[in-house]
Amino acid sequence: MRRTLLESLTRSPLTESPPVSDDAALAELTASVNRAACRRLGRSLAIREVDAGSCNGCELEIHALNNAFYDLERLGLRFVASPRHADVLLVTGPVTRNMREALERTYRATPDPKWVVAVGACAADGGIFAGSYAVAGGVGAIVPVDLHISGCPPSPLQLLQGLRALLESGSAA
Ligand code: SF4
């Protein structure tokens, strides 16, 4: 026991080195998302995340948008607790039969104009869960989708790029 304690004091941590960050690219991307939100909406962008049956891998990356590194709220992009306050529904996972009605009700509760963004390979067509008795289909099979962000899971930067593309292009429903 004493030996283990001494070793833990002298040994370096058993962790990997962090990836090299490109702060300038991240700052440019987040600022451009914010500019696009202000141009399209005249205010910040409110996002409601809906897990329709994901394995939670996509959620880990979405949660990272709120961490100290990405810190989206400093740019006026914020996650909201109710679809009634949202501009964007960020939907992950294949839509399971159990979550189908919840997704439909969330969509109806979101005021117009609104966008639906399907996040991850499963949200496109069910991904690795397609064909399961528990899966109703991809997000597009249940509600209209404006944008799909690919990846399994997509990285926070891919999510930001998707939000920027959404704001800079098509119109909301
Ligand atoms: S796309 Fe990948 S990470 Fe996201 S819910 Fe499907 S399996 Fe999980």
Side-chain angles (χ1 to χ4, degrees), residues 83-134:
R84 298 188 193 285
H85 304 155
D87 305 302
V88 176
L89 293 181
L90 210 55
V91 188
T92 63
V95 182
T96 59
R97 295 191 191 282
N98 281 348
M99 283 298 293
R100 178 182 189 142
E101 184 182 346
L103 177 60
E104 289 170 339
R105 290 173 66 174
T106 300
Y107 180 80
R108 286 197 299 271
T110 308
D112 293 328
K114 60 192 168 198
W115 291 279
V116 176
V117 179
V119 174
C122 295
D125 57 7
I128 57 173
F129 304 107
S132 162
Y133 70 93

Side-chain angles (χ1 to χ4, degrees), residues 51 53-59 61 92-94 119-123 126-129 149-154:
D51 177 350
S54 149
C55 76
N56 280 346
C58 286
E59 272 64 34
E61 302 302 317
T92 63
V119 174
C122 295
I128 57 173
F129 304 107
I149 301 175
S150 60
C152 181

